[in-house]
């Protein structure tokens, strides 16, 4: 556990964070090879307020940090911006350590507390534009529903212009020494921020855009999210990325994801890849769907304009690991992409038609030729795969709306 650190010049807002390096899967789904941080913030003013908590497994060290920082003072408010257990898990511990602490949240937060913890909280219920005066710090609240849960809200400190943004603007990865944007390797961190966005928030991108409209009323000098670094040097960096990701404006590049049982679809994939590079375009990311976790393929699909999927048919349907990926891409509402498809049919078919159906469902731009080989690809199939790679690459190179 890091030592708490002040995040503002007055040194009265403290980051209290916990690095979690031994949870393998976030939400039981998404790998955490570099861990994740849970960030909480304490404001020591005439009134004392804690913003969000941490996962229950870290409740004891977290509570000790809060007790140490408050130094015998009463905790007046526990502001709950988000109820997912990685942040709400230590609410009971804080309530026990500070009897009488007033919980602050919106109407949905109160319902979720009842459901999670089986008690009816005596809460200060807030909604858009409500304020809370701590003394020097004047807090206000903005509801940002479905970014990415129904009760999600943000808290803004008008005094030091800090936005406590809950998961928004956060990312995977433990904090590796530094806790501020000017103390970490942002390029290394951006990958994990995008993976977090694509995996957790992406489906709710339209709601992120609505949230941006609300945030436009705040003069934001610092963003303090519940995961990842605190953005004190240039919060505009992560805001611009979130804006682009939530508008689904991709970069020039191609994700080539394939599944193979006996090497036949793999040969087709190699031909597609060769076709791409024959055009002089080299930004291609290849994933074997049986071996790359879908979390990483989703991240790359969210980054790049081109998506080419290839797999065998299996029991008259799509090869199961590819079906898993396609299903996730549908759930996450991936949009504004160019899609190419190839695969092997065996005796029944089913793979290529399912990939194309996904493209139709998500209103993607489907580019041919779609290639379906019977059992093993013949020379004409291999040539068609090269052509598919060339056609998609040429389309991506000419992409007028890609991020530069
Ligand atoms: Fe970090 Fe939605 O919880």
């Amino acid at each position: 556990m890091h030592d708490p650190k002040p995040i503002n010049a007055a040194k009265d807002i403290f980051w209290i964070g916990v690095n979690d390096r031994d949870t393998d899967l976030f939400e039981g789904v998404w790998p955490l090879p570099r861990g994740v941080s849970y960030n909480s913030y304490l404001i020591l003013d005439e009134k004392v307020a804690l913003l969000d908590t941490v996962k229950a497994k870290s409740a004891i060290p977290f509570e000790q940090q809060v007790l140490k920082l408050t130094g015998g003072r009463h905790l007046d408010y526990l502001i709950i911006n988000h109820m997912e257990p990685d942040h709400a898990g230590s609410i009971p511990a804080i309530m026990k350590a500070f009897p009488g602490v007033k919980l602050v949240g919106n109407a949905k937060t109160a319902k979720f507390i009842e459901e999670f913890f089986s008690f009816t909280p005596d809460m200060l219920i807030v909604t858009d534009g409500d304020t809370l005066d701590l003394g020097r710090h004047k807090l206000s609240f903005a509801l940002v529903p479905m970014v990415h849960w129904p009760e999600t809200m943000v808290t803004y400190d008008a005094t030091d212009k800090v936005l406590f943004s809950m998961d928004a603007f956060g990312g995977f990865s433990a904090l590796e020494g530094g806790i501020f944007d000017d103390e970490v390797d942002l390029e290394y961190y951006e990958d994990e921020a995008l993976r977090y966005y694509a995996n957790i928030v992406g489906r709710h991108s339209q709601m992120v855009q609505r949230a941006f409209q609300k945030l436009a009323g705040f003069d934001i000098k610092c963003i303090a999210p519940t995961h990842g670094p605190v953005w004190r040097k240039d919060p505009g960096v992560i805001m611009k990325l979130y804006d682009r990701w939530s508008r689904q404006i991709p970069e020039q590049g191609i994700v080539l994801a394939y599944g193979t049982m006996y090497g036949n679809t793999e040969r087709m994939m190699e031909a597609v890849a060769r076709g791409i590079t024959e055009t002089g375009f080299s930004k291609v990311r290849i994933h074997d769907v049986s071996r790359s976790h879908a979390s990483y393929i989703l991240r790359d699909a969210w980054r790049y304009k081109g998506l080419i999927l290839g797999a065998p048919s299996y029991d008259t349907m799509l090869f199961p690991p590819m079906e898993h990926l396609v299903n996730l891409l549908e759930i996450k509402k991936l949009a504004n992409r160019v899609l190419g498809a190839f695969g092997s049919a065996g005796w029944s078919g089913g793979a290529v038609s399912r990939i194309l159906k996904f493209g139709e469902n998500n209103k993607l731009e489907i580019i041919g030729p779609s290639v379906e080989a019977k059992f093993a690809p013949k020379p004409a199939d291999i040539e068609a795969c090269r052509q598919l790679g060339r056609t998609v690459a040429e389309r991506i190179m000419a992409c007028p709306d890609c991020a530069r």
Side-chain angles (χ1 to χ4, degrees):
M1 181 151 184
H2 282 270
D3 289 333
K5 249 187 180 176
I7 69 163
N8 63 337
K11 296 187 175 7
D12 61 358
I13 305 177
F14 287 86
W15 167 89
I16 310 174
V18 179
N19 272 336
D20 180 353
R21 296 183 185 277
D22 55 20
T23 295
D24 297 323
L25 296 173
F26 192 80
E27 296 180 344
V29 186
W30 316 108
L32 291 173
R34 285 165 48 189
V36 66
S37 74
Y38 313 119
N39 304 334
S40 163
Y41 301 91
L42 183 72
I43 305 179
L44 287 170
D45 203 337
E46 289 167 28
K47 298 281 187 185
V48 180
L50 184 66
L51 291 105
D52 293 307
T53 71
V54 299
K55 200 170 177 180
K57 71 174 193 143
S58 300
I60 291 172
F62 174 69
E63 178 194 318
Q64 285 168 351
Q65 294 280 21
V66 178
L67 284 165
K68 193 171 160 192
L69 273 176
T70 48
R73 291 184 65 187
H74 180 56
L75 180 64
D76 297 285
Y77 300 109
L78 170 53
I79 297 167
I80 303 161
N81 283 326
H82 181 27
M83 272 301 295
E84 199 162 357
D86 51 334
H87 311 292
S90 296
I91 289 174
I94 291 297
M95 291 178 74
K96 200 168 166 199
F98 297 94
V101 60
K102 191 80 172 171
L103 305 190
V104 181
N106 58 66
K108 284 184 185 140
T109 317
K111 277 197 181 134
F112 285 16
I113 289 177
E114 242 179 285
E115 298 292 349
F116 268 118
F117 299 122
S118 299
F119 70 88
T120 304
D122 173 23
M123 283 184 72
L124 176 60
I125 300 291
V126 296
T127 188
D128 275 330
D130 284 353
T131 58
L132 184 63
D133 193 340
L134 301 181
R136 195 177 83 80
H137 294 278
K138 317 292 180 196
L139 304 182
S140 60
F141 305 96
L143 308 193
V144 288
M146 292 319 301
V147 176
H148 53 295
W149 272 34
E151 87 302 354
T152 44
M153 71 175 201
V154 297
T155 301
Y156 176 68
D157 171 29
T159 308
D160 287 337
K161 306 192 185 323
V162 180
L163 181 74
F164 299 95
S165 64
M166 55 98 206
D167 285 353
F169 309 119
F172 292 134
S173 181
L175 291 166
E176 302 184 333
I179 68 154
F180 295 106
D181 54 347
D182 51 292
E183 295 179 329
V184 301
D185 178 350
L186 285 184
E187 204 174 320
Y188 184 56
Y189 183 77
E190 185 187 318
D191 254 6
E192 285 294 79
L194 174 56
R195 189 165 68 92
Y196 182 90
Y197 186 87
N199 293 185
I200 312 294
V201 186
R203 173 180 167 80
H204 309 287
S205 288
Q206 286 186 345
M207 301 310 283
V208 174
Q209 279 297 310
R210 277 198 206 172
F212 265 111
Q213 288 168 12
K214 280 196 181 174
L215 298 186
F218 298 140
D219 176 16
I220 298 168
K221 297 282 190 249
C222 175
I223 291 180
T226 45
H227 298 292
V230 176
W231 299 82
R232 68 175 177 190
K233 184 182 174 204
D234 189 358
V237 170
I238 192 69
M239 290 181 84
K240 274 186 202 137
L241 287 173
Y242 255 66
D243 185 47
R244 172 147 63 77
W245 295 338
S246 57
R247 287 177 195 274
Q248 299 226 30
I249 299 174
E251 299 170 30
Q252 286 179 309
I254 298 171
V255 179
L256 175 48
Y258 75 103
T260 195
M261 293 166 68
Y262 306 113
N264 291 312
T265 316
E266 185 179 14
R267 283 172 57 210
M268 298 173 81
M269 177 278 293
E270 295 287 7
V272 174
R274 183 58 59 89
I276 293 169
T277 53
E278 277 170 0
T279 64
F281 189 73
S282 59
K283 191 156 276 186
V284 55
R285 301 288 182 264
I286 296 177
H287 289 282
D288 175 346
V289 289
S290 296
R291 293 177 175 82
S292 285
H293 192 284
S295 172
Y296 299 92
I297 311 176
L298 275 178
R299 175 201 61 196
D300 287 351
W302 217 275
R303 173 171 282 151
Y304 294 122
K305 178 79 174 176
L307 179 64
I308 306 179
L309 304 177
S313 301
Y314 193 97
D315 286 343
T316 75
M317 290 175 276
L318 181 57
F319 184 57
M322 181 61 83
E323 175 58 41
H324 174 60
L325 173 66
V326 164
N327 186 38
L328 277 174
L329 292 167
E330 281 179 343
I331 289 169
K332 301 301 179 186
K333 299 183 179 174
L334 185 81
N336 189 29
R337 300 301 192 276
V338 165
L339 178 71
F342 65 96
S344 54
W347 59 93
S348 70
V352 171
S353 59
R354 168 67 179 111
I355 293 168
L356 294 174
K357 183 74 187 153
F358 146 68
E360 285 168 24
N361 291 345
N362 285 39
K363 297 186 171 56
L364 306 185
E365 179 186 338
I366 296 170
I367 285 192
S370 301
V371 190
E372 188 168 51
K374 281 279 181 192
F375 290 100
K378 315 301 180 293
D381 298 316
I382 292 294
E383 179 47 37
C385 284
R386 286 171 91 121
Q387 184 57 41
L388 173 63
R390 283 194 292 266
T391 312
V392 173
E394 280 158 7
R395 169 68 181 82
I396 300 305
M397 285 191 285
C399 172
D401 62 340
C402 286
R404 306 285 166 178

